[in-house]
Amino acid sequence: MPSGDHGPGSISDDDPSFAQKLGYLFEHSRDENGVPYTGKKIAERANRLGYSLSDAYISQLRTGKARTPSFRTVEAIARAFDVSVTYFLANPEEDLDRVRQQRDYVALLATTGTFLSGADVGRLDPDTIDVLIDLLKVVKARAIDNPDHTNEGPSAPQDHSPA
């Protein structure tokens, strides 16, 4: 890992490899006695949790000789280190940013009384959500500036012909 003070659930912006993330855990995690973990100890812990993992394979993952562990292996290592599987799979900050972005979008939909029938927000890319958030902020600002304007939908056409 780069030399910043990143905790076991954090990673740097340059998205380190699996080997780097695993190496970081070995460097910074300690057992209940304060002793750094060894590959053997992590394999034993994983095996006690019901997984099948060898010290030799962990060594290959640490050095980068093995680069594509199965999800089950990633899960075993994560559980043995007592960290979330997402530590290895994604950039947690990026995931949190996306969740915050979607939360803001949904909140703006609610406060502006806007409905997107049939829209699957989870399938929208971040740039589209940003554009929609900006648009909804304008709608919200106009609603605040014109509180007398009710949101009753389009009005019926007026008939101006003589009776």
Side-chain angles (χ1 to χ4, degrees):
M1 290 294 273
S3 62
D5 186 20
H6 300 287
S10 302
I11 59 174
S12 70
D13 292 335
D14 58 352
D15 195 22
S17 69
F18 186 88
Q20 289 171 309
K21 291 176 185 180
L22 184 57
Y24 183 85
L25 287 176
F26 274 105
E27 289 173 29
H28 295 90
S29 298
R30 303 288 184 262
D31 68 10
E32 59 279 353
N33 299 317
V35 177
Y37 286 109
T38 63
K40 182 178 180 181
K41 190 171 222 173
I42 289 300
E44 289 171 354
R45 286 184 70 156
N47 293 333
R48 277 196 308 271
L49 291 168
Y51 299 92
S52 179
L53 193 59
S54 71
D55 177 25
Y57 188 55
I58 292 173
S59 177
Q60 290 176 345
L61 290 169
R62 286 179 77 176
T63 61
K65 289 180 183 174
R67 295 186 186 171
T68 54
S70 69
F71 181 80
R72 184 106 172 118
T73 298
V74 174
E75 182 182 38
I77 293 170
R79 288 200 55 210
F81 274 110
D82 198 24
V83 298
S84 171
V85 170
T86 59
Y87 168 78
F88 290 108
L89 302 179
N91 181 331
E93 286 303 315
E94 185 178 291
D95 291 342
L96 286 174
D97 288 344
R98 179 152 172 90
V99 168
R100 285 184 199 112
Q101 181 188 45
Q102 288 183 345
R103 182 198 61 215
D104 293 346
Y105 171 71
V106 171
L108 279 169
L109 284 177
T111 59
T112 60
T114 306
F115 301 96
L116 293 178
S117 178
D120 183 358
V121 177
R123 291 182 160 233
L124 296 177
D125 66 87
D127 292 335
T128 301
I129 293 174
D130 284 339
V131 169
L132 289 170
I133 287 172
D134 290 342
L135 176 63
L136 289 169
K137 285 178 181 177
V138 170
V139 171
K140 182 178 179 182
R142 286 191 178 175
I144 291 169
D145 291 344
N146 300 313
D148 294 334
H149 187 280
T150 58
N151 189 9
E152 297 175 1
S155 59
Q158 300 291 321
D159 183 9
H160 296 289
S161 60

